[in-house]
């Protein structure tokens, strides 16, 4: 069932229930009012008759009105008077006495009793005249519900008319309320997979639909970003693999064209080995990046020392690139070495530091980089990695952490564009604050600030 139909039906049910309760209350109250008026009229007639007949010096003879019986069913009302001895002494329309003795006794006890006798709604009163004699007066009257029936017809007609109006109004206003939803659905249907640049129109009202549109547009931004990265990934990885494989294939084909000296084969195999190592490094970085982005809850955290990680990363770099130079500087270090302890995953943090130091050497003049370890005034551990390379322009600073992005200044230098993206993911996982400052032809500085060990959120 469509929302519009469901809203209309629910609205109808609520309004119909309220109307039925209200009209039922009106019907019951009006019926009670008519009955009160009926009994008030009977009481007035009874008292008036008693004043005329029972306050005389000569009491009424019991036989004064008993000469003949009348069929009471043909009359709409009657007044009957009984003596204190429960003897009927007067009746406007005498008929066989059908009033039970128990009713008279109850009238004597309660002084006024309302009861039903056949088609009559009767009222019984105990009356004492001016001479001190007590009498039982029973006034019979037929309750005429004609006004109640008229009211019932009016209520039924009003209920039907109101329900019709409510149904039409509910259908109209639910359509008005759902019109923005319909517009949003039409705009969503118009968004095609090959063009994710379209966005939903923002409304001027600060309501739930406006928040929904804003959230959906943010979702589209993230999806577009993912698709952009995916296309960039496929483009770059295919380029990297194709270049490396083409070089390997060319070198092997040239080597197989004719017999060559042992030294020439050795040079070819060394070049092929370098290309294979480069492909292996790119593959390892991609696997690490995919693992972090896929499920970081399985990464185990432990206590690690930043200074030891820096020395380990430097040793790894010197082993793989002996021509690189890493200058370490230690400043303002605390006497308590435990202040250099942070919570993290040792292999990942070492990988992040290794990539930053390697990039600094790769792009720096004379393959040199400066690494400074210090403690801030707030007591946190800070690592600065400074190079003297070509620098990064201001408009590219926010892009260097995108997978496979290569700056124009470094396009001529061999690289995959995965390292900084992996570094960014690792540092984000460890809640490490990273700031990058760079000037063209003056170098780039990466400043890392590690939180206190007690501030780290444990990751299982």
């Amino acid at each position: 069932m469509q929302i519009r139909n469901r809203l209309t039906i629910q609205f109808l049910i609520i309004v119909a229930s309220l109307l039925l309760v209200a009209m039922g209350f009106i019907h019951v109250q009006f019926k009670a009012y008519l009955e009160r008026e009926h009994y008030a009229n009977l009481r007035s007639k009874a008292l008036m008759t008693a004043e005329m007949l029972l306050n005389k010096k000569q009491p009424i003879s019991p036989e004064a009105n008993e000469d003949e019986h009348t069929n009471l069913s043909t009359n709409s009302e009657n007044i009957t008077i009984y003596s204190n001895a429960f003897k009927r002494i007067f009746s406007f329309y005498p008929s066989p006495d059908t009033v039970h003795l128990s009713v008279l006794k109850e009238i004597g006890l309660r002084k006024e009793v309302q009861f039903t006798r056949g088609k009559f709604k009767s009222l019984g009163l105990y009356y004492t005249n001016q001479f001190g004699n007590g009498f039982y007066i029973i006034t019979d009257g037929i309750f005429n519900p004609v006004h109640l029936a008229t009211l019932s017809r009016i209520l039924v007609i009003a209920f039907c008319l109101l329900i019709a109006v409510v149904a039409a109004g509910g259908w109209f206003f639910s359509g008005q309320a759902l019109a923005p939803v319909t517009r949003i659905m039409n705009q969503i249907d118009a968004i095609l997979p090959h063009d994710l640049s379209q966005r939903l129109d923002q409304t001027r009202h600060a309501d739930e639909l406006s928040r929904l549109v804003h959230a959906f547009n943010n979702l589209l931004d993230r999806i577009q970003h993912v698709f952009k990265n995916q296309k960039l990934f496929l483009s770059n990885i295919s380029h990297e693999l194709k270049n490396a494989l083409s070089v390997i294939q060319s070198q092997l084909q040239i080597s197989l064209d004719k017999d060559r000296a042992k030294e020439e084969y050795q040079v070819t195999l060394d070049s092929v080995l370098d290309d294979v190592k480069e492909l292996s490094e790119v593959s390892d970085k991609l696997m690490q990046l995919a693992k972090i982005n896929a499920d970081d809850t399985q990464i185990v955290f432990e206590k690690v020392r930043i200074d030891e990680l820096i020395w380990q990363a430097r040793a790894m770099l010197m082993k793989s690139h002996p021509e690189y130079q890493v200058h370490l500087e230690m400043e303002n270090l605390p006497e308590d070495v435990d202040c250099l302890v942070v919570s993290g995953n040792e292999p990942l943090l070492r990988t992040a530091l290794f990539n930053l130091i390697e990039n600094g050497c790769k792009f720096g003049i004379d393959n040199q980089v400066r690494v400074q370890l210090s403690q801030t005034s707030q007591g946190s551990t800070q690592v600065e990695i400074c190079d003297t390379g070509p620098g990064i322009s201001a408009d590219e600073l926010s892009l260097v952490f995108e997978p496979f992005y290569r700056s124009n200044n470094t396009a001529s230098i061999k690289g995959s564009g995965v390292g900084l993206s992996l570094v960014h993911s690792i540092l984000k996982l460890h809640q490490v604050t990273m700031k990058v400052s760079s000037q063209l032809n003056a170098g780039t500085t990466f400043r890392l600030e590690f939180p206190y060990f007690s501030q780290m959120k444990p990751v299982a």
Side-chain angles (χ1 to χ4, degrees):
M1 181 182 294
Q2 292 186 349
I3 296 179
R4 186 177 187 181
N5 295 336
R6 187 162 63 247
L7 287 176
T8 303
I9 292 175
Q10 291 174 348
F11 190 55
L12 271 178
I13 292 174
I14 293 173
V15 174
S17 301
L18 294 175
L19 284 176
L20 287 175
V21 171
M23 292 180 174
F25 178 79
I26 293 173
H27 185 275
V28 170
Q29 292 298 315
F30 189 70
K31 181 180 179 182
Y33 167 77
L34 291 178
E35 289 181 348
R36 287 195 301 269
E37 289 293 313
H38 173 74
Y39 286 116
N41 186 40
L42 294 181
R43 184 183 300 106
S44 177
K45 291 180 179 179
L47 293 175
M48 184 172 58
T49 303
E51 290 291 334
M52 290 190 302
L53 298 179
L54 301 179
N55 285 320
K56 297 179 180 180
K57 293 183 178 180
Q58 295 295 328
I60 301 176
S61 172
E63 293 82 13
N65 201 245
E66 292 287 342
D67 296 337
E68 60 181 28
H69 287 174
T70 302
N71 186 3
L72 185 60
S73 61
T74 61
N75 300 290
S76 61
E77 59 182 28
N78 188 29
I79 297 178
T80 305
I81 300 176
Y82 291 84
S83 67
N84 210 20
F86 307 119
K87 177 69 175 178
R88 185 171 69 177
I89 60 176
F90 176 81
S91 179
F92 274 122
Y93 303 104
S95 63
D97 192 359
T98 58
V99 178
H100 295 286
L101 181 62
S102 60
V103 175
L104 297 176
K105 290 182 178 180
E106 185 179 1
I107 294 172
L109 290 174
R110 298 173 54 188
K111 307 305 180 184
E112 181 175 333
V113 176
Q114 297 175 1
F115 60 96
T116 301
R117 187 159 70 101
K119 66 177 182 178
F120 298 104
K121 285 187 176 294
S122 304
L123 177 70
L125 291 176
Y126 185 78
Y127 180 80
T128 303
N129 65 2
Q130 61 182 354
F131 304 108
N133 299 320
F135 299 90
Y136 299 90
I137 304 175
I138 296 178
T139 307
D140 300 310
I142 297 177
F143 178 72
N144 188 359
V146 60
H147 299 300
L148 189 63
T150 302
L151 176 65
S152 299
R153 287 194 297 271
I154 293 173
L155 291 178
V156 170
I157 295 173
F159 177 80
C160 295
L161 291 177
L162 287 174
I163 287 298
V165 173
V166 168
W171 177 261
F172 174 77
F173 287 112
S174 62
Q176 291 290 103
L178 293 174
V181 178
T182 303
R183 175 179 55 81
I184 292 174
M185 292 172 58
N186 293 334
Q187 292 181 4
I188 292 175
D189 290 338
I191 298 176
L192 302 177
H194 64 270
D195 183 13
L196 295 176
S197 62
Q198 301 182 55
R199 294 294 179 268
L200 303 183
D201 296 335
Q202 291 281 0
T203 61
R204 293 175 295 178
H205 307 288
D207 54 10
E208 289 79 3
L209 289 178
S210 178
R211 292 176 55 194
L212 175 63
V213 169
H214 182 70
F216 190 81
N217 285 339
N218 288 339
L219 176 62
L220 286 177
D221 290 337
R222 294 193 292 271
I223 293 175
Q224 186 180 21
H225 180 71
V226 170
F227 271 71
K228 180 181 177 181
N229 286 342
Q230 183 183 36
K231 291 180 180 179
L232 186 63
F233 171 82
L234 293 175
S235 175
N236 284 277
I237 195 63
S238 61
H239 181 266
E240 294 292 332
L241 292 176
K242 183 177 181 180
N243 286 346
L245 292 175
S246 297
V247 172
I248 294 174
Q249 182 180 8
S250 299
Q251 290 175 332
L252 293 177
Q253 285 178 346
I254 293 174
S255 298
L256 293 175
D257 281 344
K258 62 179 180 179
D259 293 335
R260 299 179 182 277
K262 180 180 178 180
E263 292 76 9
E264 293 180 356
Y265 284 121
Q266 184 68 39
V267 172
T268 301
L269 291 177
D270 289 339
S271 178
V272 170
L273 181 60
D274 290 338
D275 292 333
V276 172
K277 286 181 178 179
E278 183 181 351
L279 287 176
S280 179
E281 290 178 2
V282 173
S283 175
D284 290 340
K285 291 178 180 179
L286 287 175
M287 290 180 64
Q288 286 181 311
L289 185 61
K291 181 179 180 181
I292 293 174
N293 293 331
D295 188 9
D296 56 13
T297 59
Q298 301 300 320
I299 298 175
V300 179
F301 275 37
E302 56 187 357
K303 294 181 179 180
V304 294
R305 284 182 53 175
I306 296 298
D307 56 340
E308 292 180 356
L309 290 178
I310 294 175
W311 284 106
Q312 293 171 9
R314 180 181 182 276
M316 291 170 55
L317 185 62
M318 294 295 99
K319 184 177 180 180
S320 59
H321 298 281
E323 71 279 10
Y324 288 173
Q325 299 181 40
V326 180
H327 302 287
L328 295 180
E329 298 178 2
M330 308 289 181
E331 294 184 0
N332 301 324
L333 293 183
E335 295 181 1
D336 185 4
V337 294
D338 288 340
C339 293
L340 299 176
V341 175
V342 298
S343 177
N345 182 272
E346 182 175 346
L348 290 179
L349 285 177
R350 185 168 51 244
T351 299
L353 292 171
F354 177 86
N355 284 338
L356 288 174
I357 296 174
E358 182 187 34
N359 276 357
C361 292
K362 184 189 299 183
F363 301 118
I365 298 176
D366 298 330
N367 301 126
Q368 296 185 26
V369 69
R370 179 174 62 86
V371 180
Q372 183 184 64
L373 175 64
S374 61
Q375 188 179 40
T376 65
S377 58
Q378 292 79 20
S380 59
T381 304
Q382 181 175 278
V383 177
E384 287 190 359
I385 301 170
C386 308
D387 64 53
T388 55
I392 306 171
S393 61
D395 56 343
E396 290 183 317
L397 276 178
S398 60
L399 302 174
V400 294
F401 299 107
E402 299 290 340
F404 299 101
Y405 180 80
R406 299 294 305 278
S407 173
N408 294 330
N409 295 337
T410 60
S412 60
I413 301 176
K414 196 173 184 180
S416 61
V418 181
L420 286 181
S421 177
L422 178 60
V423 169
H424 182 265
S425 297
I426 293 174
L427 296 182
K428 182 179 179 182
L429 174 66
H430 288 79
Q431 305 170 34
V432 177
T433 303
M434 178 171 59
K435 297 181 180 179
V436 185
S437 57
S438 181
Q439 292 183 357
L440 292 177
N441 303 319
T444 304
T445 299
F446 290 86
R447 183 175 294 104
L448 315 181
E449 185 172 340
F450 292 80
Y452 297 108
F453 175 78
S454 60
Q455 294 177 340
M456 296 290 294
K457 296 181 180 178
V459 179

